[in-house]
Amino acid sequence: MSTTTATEGKARTRAFPSGSFKVWLLKLVVLGLIDVLGIWAVAKAYTAEWWVAVAFIAIVLIAINVVYFQRGALPWKYLLPGLIFLVAFQLYPAGYTFGISFTNYGTGHIIDQERATTAIISQNTRPVEGSPSIDVRPIESGGDVSMLITDPETGEASIGTGLSRDPAPDATFQDGVAVSVPGYNTLNLGQLAANPDFDQQWRELAVPYDPEQGFYIQQSSPTRGSVVFSNLAFDPEAGTFTDVESGTVFAPNGDVGLFTTDAFDPEAKSGNPPTSEKAAVNSGQFLTPGWPVFVGLDNYTQVLTDPGVRQNFLPILIWSFVFAIGTVLMQFAAGLLMAIVFQERRMRGQKIYRSILIIPYALPIFMTALVWKGMLNRDFGIINQIIGEPIWWLGDPTLAKISLLVVNLWIGYSYFFIVVTGALTAIPGDLKEAAFVDGASGFTAFRTVVLPLLMVAVSPLLIASFSFNFNNYTLVDLLTGGGPFPGSPINGGQTDLLITYTYRLAFGTSEQFLAFASAISMLIFVIVAGVSAYGFRLTKKLEEIKA
């Protein structure tokens, strides 16, 4: 009997070694934690009605369990994490930006039409004298805040939104006041304070009381409400606003995402940066805020057709190319020159010199750029103290551009010095000796033998450096801030790159032109991708020459 038991134990040990069992158990625990977090994330996304996130997280959970629980599929075990992050942090943001570029999304067009309707009513209200105090509670479902109202006369409960007020027969009462209703979460003061979106919705919420006469119920605290009067009466059936005093009717305009009159001029309101032709806006033709709508290629065509936008965009585009190409050429030339110099074996102390030359590349750009900004200061910078003249390096348009190129040369030449040094070391010396035997001079041997072989190895890095410097937001922002500015910052500065100009359009002023900035971001992507594709094509030709 004991012999049989021992035999079975050995068989189990052979089938499931203790080390493999520990690994399997660890895998089970890790995947279990991932599944728990994933299911929680799916539930949160579902509650917020974020269907793209629901689908993505569900697919990711299924893929993780299938790949890591089955035997084999080894390549996918390594590729899947990278693929997930690629989709989540690269493809999705790029796709979202691309979609936004076809809308008028921005200041005045951020919230949906229902919330815009509520905000318009709320912005045009005033208290009604002698109105009764009403018991209200903020309730939330799917990320939308509504108002649970207890009628002061009948004691019945109703649920109010910005468009309607519906009975709530299933509401739970406490001391004669409706405090909750199935399907909704009742919010308290702390929950409102913790969620700015809920708090803003609650403050803007105006529930119809007698909308034809312009009367609404609005909160005065998380538990009390009152009747207010709005100059704009909203008709839920027609979906229009009527000015109570003038009788002017504002209807929803799906072309511009605004409530407009019949006399509305589309050129009077745009989701893009203001130009001289659009400076005189007749605010009586539309109501704000609006909501995002599809505008097609308007954001793209405006770059080429709008004179006000074009005169700002084209100089910035040209300077972006000059800055990126000039930086690459200068950094590569400086790095190549130093690498050739340090190939001389008779030079002593090469390790010390190389360590010193690498310092600019090793230091963080945040520190280097700010140090240079202080050195170039007109009043107390050390450069002007040495020269003895108060030169405005960062205030003059030409000098500011030169300063940017020089500082970027200082920051990046070490990188190409390291790269070129390694590439030159890999080139066989026999090829250069053969060129000398054929009667070639040192310069001719370098130009015809060394440089072509060097370019095969360095060309992809030159392309990558161009792409990086074309979007070198950090240096420009820290050193010049895009300035000097001949006019308003929204129109761009003398040292602005496309990326800094785009950021200012989106976030740099009180008015955010997010859709227009998204369109320019897509143009930047096309430009960089096109230049990179052309550069890699030339690199392939160099490889064919080598072969």
Side-chain angles (χ1 to χ4, degrees):
M1 186 70 176
S2 59
T3 304
T4 304
T5 304
T7 304
E8 292 176 353
K10 292 179 180 180
R12 284 196 299 268
T13 302
R14 288 194 300 269
F16 214 152
S18 58
S20 299
F21 176 75
K22 292 179 180 179
V23 172
W24 181 86
L25 183 60
L26 178 62
K27 181 193 298 185
L28 184 64
V29 171
V30 172
L31 289 178
L33 292 174
I34 293 175
D35 287 341
V36 170
L37 292 175
I39 293 172
W40 173 82
V42 168
K44 296 292 289 185
Y46 179 82
T47 302
E49 297 183 358
W50 189 7
W51 307 120
V52 174
V54 171
F56 175 73
I57 298 173
I59 293 173
V60 167
L61 285 178
I62 295 173
I64 289 176
N65 284 275
V66 170
V67 169
Y68 288 99
F69 266 122
Q70 70 171 335
R71 295 181 180 274
L74 186 61
W76 278 106
K77 287 180 170 61
Y78 291 96
L79 289 174
L80 187 59
L83 183 63
I84 292 172
F85 284 104
L86 174 66
V87 173
F89 297 105
Q90 293 290 335
L91 298 183
Y92 175 74
Y96 183 79
T97 303
F98 182 68
I100 289 295
S101 68
F102 293 98
T103 69
N104 63 344
Y105 189 74
T107 299
H109 296 272
I110 293 180
I111 56 180
D112 58 33
Q113 185 174 350
E114 181 177 347
R115 288 187 60 184
T117 302
T118 302
I120 292 171
I121 297 172
S122 176
Q123 291 172 3
N124 293 274
T125 59
R126 63 175 183 265
V128 176
E129 295 183 5
S131 63
S133 179
I134 303 174
D135 289 298
V136 298
R137 294 291 187 277
I139 54 176
E140 175 271 331
S141 178
D144 296 325
V145 176
S146 304
M147 182 182 293
L148 180 59
I149 305 167
T150 305
D151 194 297
E153 297 180 359
T154 64
E156 296 179 350
S158 60
I159 298 175
T161 65
L163 301 178
S164 63
R165 184 158 57 103
D166 303 314
D170 297 333
T172 301
F173 287 81
Q174 184 177 348
D175 297 330
V177 177
V179 294
S180 64
V181 66
Y184 290 84
N185 298 319
T186 303
L187 305 175
N188 55 35
L189 180 60
Q191 291 170 319
L192 289 174
N195 192 316
D197 181 56
F198 288 171
D199 185 61
Q200 183 178 2
Q201 289 188 56
W202 176 243
R203 293 178 182 277
E204 293 178 349
L205 184 59
V207 177
Y209 184 76
D210 187 358
E212 294 182 359
Q213 301 299 323
F215 292 100
Y216 297 85
I217 300 174
Q218 199 170 29
Q219 62 84 29
S220 53
S221 73
T223 59
R224 309 300 297 175
S226 60
V227 178
V228 296
F229 173 76
S230 175
N231 295 328
L232 297 169
F234 181 71
D235 185 352
E237 296 182 0
T240 59
F241 280 101
T242 302
D243 191 310
V244 176
E245 297 178 356
S246 66
T248 305
V249 177
F250 297 87
N253 189 329
D255 294 332
V256 294
L258 291 165
F259 286 95
T260 66
T261 63
D262 293 336
F264 173 73
D265 179 10
E267 293 297 321
K269 176 65 178 177
S270 171
N272 297 328
T275 61
S276 57
E277 290 80 8
K278 298 176 182 176
V281 175
N282 183 2
S283 61
Q285 293 183 349
F286 60 88
L287 302 175
T288 57
W291 59 94
V293 294
F294 179 78
V295 297
L297 297 174
D298 287 358
N299 292 315
Y300 294 94
T301 57
Q302 189 172 9
V303 174
L304 303 175
T305 60
D306 191 307
V309 175
R310 188 170 62 244
Q311 70 181 6
N312 300 323
F313 178 82
L314 290 180
I316 295 174
L317 175 63
I318 294 172
W319 165 241
S320 297
F321 273 105
V322 172
F323 176 77
I325 295 174
T327 294
V328 172
L329 293 178
M330 292 169 61
Q331 290 179 350
F332 176 67
L336 176 61
L337 178 62
M338 292 184 180
I340 293 174
V341 170
F342 280 92
Q343 270 199 316
E344 178 58 50
R345 298 179 179 178
R346 292 174 296 177
M347 180 181 291
R348 296 182 178 180
Q350 289 193 21
K351 293 182 178 180
I352 298 176
Y353 292 140
R354 287 176 177 174
S355 300
I356 295 174
L357 291 173
I358 292 174
I359 290 178
Y361 182 66
L363 294 175
I365 189 174
F366 295 97
M367 182 177 69
T368 306
L370 293 177
V371 169
W372 272 98
K373 186 174 183 178
M375 293 170 60
L376 293 170
N377 186 273
R378 180 176 60 174
D379 299 321
F380 55 81
I382 189 173
I383 294 179
N384 281 349
Q385 292 181 11
I386 295 174
I387 297 175
E389 294 291 337
I391 300 175
W392 200 5
W393 294 102
L394 303 180
D396 180 79
T398 303
L399 293 179
K401 292 177 180 179
I402 294 174
S403 300
L404 266 177
L405 289 171
V406 172
V407 172
N408 210 19
L409 170 63
W410 167 262
I411 293 173
Y413 80 88
S414 301
Y415 170 73
F416 280 103
F417 168 63
I418 297 171
V419 170
V420 173
T421 299
L424 290 176
T425 305
I427 296 176
D430 297 342
L431 296 177
K432 291 182 285 186
E433 294 177 1
F436 292 143
V437 170
D438 291 339
S441 63
F443 176 76
T444 302
F446 174 80
R447 180 177 61 83
T448 58
V449 177
V450 177
L451 188 59
L453 294 176
L454 179 65
M455 292 303 296
V456 174
V458 176
S459 291
L461 301 177
L462 293 175
I463 297 170
S465 180
F466 169 85
S467 301
F468 172 79
N469 285 286
F470 195 85
N471 294 315
N472 196 340
Y473 173 86
T474 305
L475 177 62
V476 175
D477 185 63
L478 291 176
L479 192 63
T480 66
F485 298 97
S488 172
I490 197 67
N491 295 325
Q494 296 293 328
T495 58
D496 258 329
L497 302 179
L498 279 181
I499 189 65
T500 57
Y501 176 60
T502 302
Y503 179 85
R504 191 175 298 110
L505 288 174
F507 309 108
T509 61
S510 58
E511 192 170 2
Q512 299 176 341
F513 305 101
L514 298 172
F516 188 66
S518 298
I520 297 181
S521 298
M522 290 296 100
L523 293 178
I524 294 175
F525 171 77
V526 171
I527 291 171
V528 173
V531 172
S532 300
Y534 179 74
F536 282 120
R537 185 177 180 182
L538 293 180
T539 302
K540 189 174 181 181
K541 290 183 179 180
L542 290 174
E543 293 177 352
E544 293 174 355
I545 293 174
K546 178 183 177 181

